[in-house]
Amino acid sequence: MRAVEQAARTACADGLVWIDTAPNYGSAHQALGPVIADHPRAMVATKTGFFTPDEGAAALRAGLLTAAQVRVGHSLDPGFVRRQTERSLAALGRIDLVFVHNPEHGGLYPSELHPALRQVFAVLEEFACAGRIGGYATWSGFLHDT
């Protein structure tokens, strides 16, 4: 979507709405921050997991991602989830709901996926208990045994 800010303002003018975004949706986070500030009734959902090439390169330099994670473009590493959620909070101003974005795309074996998700939810629970996010954590996408 090219005119993210204007589309969000139009949607918010109708009252209570959900705004759904993610760090890997181009510049949407930055464009939505001012809209969210102007519309306190708007509910804000974002995601963690996928990242842009620039975010991946910065996290690799910071030691938060491996080269393999950067190649995949997805991470469930707790340190990265913490950083990505902090960055989303800074851009959006507030978050009501965090999805773990397609965790099956993280390059993990099925036996590694559920322990990784428990760690991700523990990080998100820290944010919720501190009152920094709305208190909900879920995943988007499908989990399967193959």
Side-chain angles (χ1 to χ4, degrees):
M1 178 174 270
R2 294 183 200 336
V4 171
E5 184 174 350
Q6 186 55 47
R9 286 190 185 284
T10 300
C12 287
D14 288 339
L16 182 61
V17 298
W18 274 99
I19 295 175
D20 179 61
T21 186
N24 64 312
Y25 291 178
S27 61
H29 265 37
Q30 290 71 25
L32 291 171
V35 177
I36 292 164
D38 290 344
H39 296 278
R41 292 186 56 211
M43 303 295 287
V44 182
T46 191
K47 300 167 191 74
T48 189
F50 285 115
F51 50 84
T52 64
D54 288 344
E55 185 180 14
L60 178 65
R61 286 191 302 274
L64 293 171
L65 292 177
T66 65
Q69 290 167 320
V70 172
R71 279 191 301 279
V72 172
H74 191 283
S75 176
L76 298 177
D77 182 87
F80 179 74
V81 168
R82 189 171 283 107
R83 175 188 170 126
Q84 196 171 48
T85 304
E86 289 284 1
R87 291 174 58 118
S88 291
L89 277 165
L92 299 170
R94 62 184 169 81
I95 299 171
D96 298 295
L97 176 71
V98 177
F99 290 101
V100 180
H101 206 175
N102 295 100
E104 71 278 10
H105 290 276
L108 299 175
Y109 292 108
S111 62
E112 300 170 316
L113 186 55
H114 287 126
L117 282 170
R118 280 193 295 275
Q119 291 180 332
V120 169
F121 287 128
V123 169
L124 295 175
E125 185 66 19
E126 291 172 17
F127 279 93
C129 287
R132 300 195 61 219
I133 64 173
Y136 302 98
T138 187
W139 69 73
S140 68
F142 298 98
L143 297 178
H144 46 80
D145 293 328
T146 58

